[in-house]
Amino acid sequence: QVQLVESGGGLVQAGGSLRLSCRASGLISSINVMGWYRQGPGKQRELVARITRGGIANYEDSVKGRFTISRDNAKNTVYLQMNSLNPEDTAVYYCNVETYTTSNYWGQGTQVTVSS
């Protein structure tokens, strides 16, 4: 089992920045990929960014150039630096990890609200 605790959400004006953090505990040696998903009002959950243990990152097209995902394997933590936020980024952001056995674990979610 892997437990995830997220932090860093909040309310920000358009053009502002936020940094999300997600710390994993439990069977951390089993973790391969760490990532962030989001679910906006009336929308399906979508991938925002993901990063492998080796540091290879992928981004959803709308966040490329604005968001940066990183991870600190020593701290079992993944970060999402979000810059140039706009109201379309408003969503609940969920931390996700994939293990080497393809199990998935989710955080409780953190609200990000961007005002215009």
Side-chain angles (χ1 to χ4, degrees):
Q1 292 284 337
V2 175
Q3 295 78 43
L4 302 171
V5 178
E6 302 151 344
S7 61
L11 173 64
V12 65
Q13 289 187 332
S17 299
L18 283 174
R19 188 193 195 207
L20 306 182
S21 300
C22 173
R23 182 167 184 173
S25 61
L27 292 176
I28 54 177
S29 62
S30 67
I31 296 174
N32 179 16
V33 180
M34 304 183 81
W36 291 93
Y37 287 70
R38 67 185 179 186
Q39 187 166 14
K43 298 180 180 179
Q44 291 188 332
R45 191 173 298 189
E46 64 176 0
L47 174 67
V48 177
R50 61 197 297 270
I51 185 168
T52 67
R53 179 172 284 274
I56 299 173
N58 299 99
Y59 296 90
E60 193 268 330
D61 286 345
S62 71
V63 308
K64 287 180 180 177
R66 300 188 298 124
F67 291 10
T68 302
I69 190 170
S70 61
R71 69 189 278 178
D72 185 334
N73 292 326
K75 295 182 178 180
N76 309 311
T77 301
V78 62
Y79 306 95
L80 185 68
Q81 178 66 43
M82 306 185 291
N83 299 328
S84 302
L85 285 160
N86 59 62
E88 290 69 40
D89 296 316
T90 294
V92 179
Y93 284 70
Y94 296 91
C95 179
N96 170 269
V97 301
E98 302 170 21
T99 70
Y100 289 104
T101 58
T102 68
S103 295
N104 269 271
Y105 296 91
W106 295 91
Q108 78 282 4
T110 185
Q111 177 70 46
V112 171
T113 303
V114 184
S115 64
S116 57

